[in-house]
Amino acid sequence: MAKKNTSKEQTHLEGERAQVASELENLRSAMLNEVDVEPDEGDAEIFEREKTAALIAVLERRMQDIEHALRAIDKGHYGTCERCSNPIEPERLEVKPDAILCLNCQREVEAISKRNRGRAPIRW
Ligand SMILES: [Zn+2]
């Protein structure tokens, strides 16, 4: 099997997955503990909970990307853009080992999602 090129990324990704998983666990148990909020604490507590929830969402997304990249390594198409099938820039994988899109596609996708966000503004 000619998989030696990806073993470094795989190790990296698995380490990252373990880290994200434990962070998620901490945050989720923090959320559960915060259920018994003193009524007086009101808005500040709610704000903290929203921040925690937002962080959990970010980490969950990150977890999906990592899992995705690990599956790609398994299938042997790691480093190939999922959108245009061109190879992903090695420098990009160096910085972001869970990248599944080449830089071009990433920019396009981000531009599209930014436009979509513009239509339905999120109020923080
Ligand atoms: Zn691409």
Side-chain angles (χ1 to χ4, degrees):
M1 294 297 263
K3 277 192 177 176
K4 63 177 166 56
N5 286 339
T6 55
S7 63
K8 188 178 62 143
E9 281 83 0
Q10 187 161 10
T11 312
H12 186 128
L13 283 164
E14 277 167 357
E16 210 160 341
R17 180 172 60 176
Q19 199 188 325
V20 172
S22 75
E23 269 179 62
L24 269 174
E25 207 175 309
N26 287 341
L27 287 171
R28 285 197 181 116
S29 63
M31 285 279 275
L32 288 178
N33 292 335
E34 282 169 20
V35 170
D36 304 312
V37 173
E38 299 287 321
D40 305 344
E41 292 186 63
D43 286 353
E45 273 306 320
I46 289 165
F47 182 60
E48 278 306 310
R49 282 176 61 80
E50 275 176 5
K51 275 205 300 195
T52 308
L55 196 53
I56 287 175
V58 169
L59 286 173
E60 277 173 346
R61 175 100 56 91
R62 175 122 192 84
M63 191 63 138
Q64 282 171 10
D65 287 349
I66 294 170
E67 299 270 356
H68 204 119
L70 282 167
R71 271 198 302 274
I73 289 174
D74 258 359
K75 289 182 197 152
H77 56 70
Y78 178 73
T80 303
C81 176
E82 302 240 318
R83 198 154 168 263
C84 68
S85 300
N86 284 327
I88 300 172
E89 299 80 359
E91 315 83 70
R92 175 163 162 72
L93 288 174
E94 196 75 35
V95 184
K96 187 170 162 50
D98 57 330
I100 53 167
L101 297 174
C102 72
L103 207 49
N104 258 339
C105 290
Q106 183 67 43
R107 285 204 186 111
E108 281 176 35
V109 167
E110 274 170 15
I112 292 167
S113 73
K114 234 173 247 164
R115 274 206 297 278
N116 289 341
R117 266 205 297 278
R119 250 174 255 144
I122 301 165
R123 290 192 304 133
W124 293 105

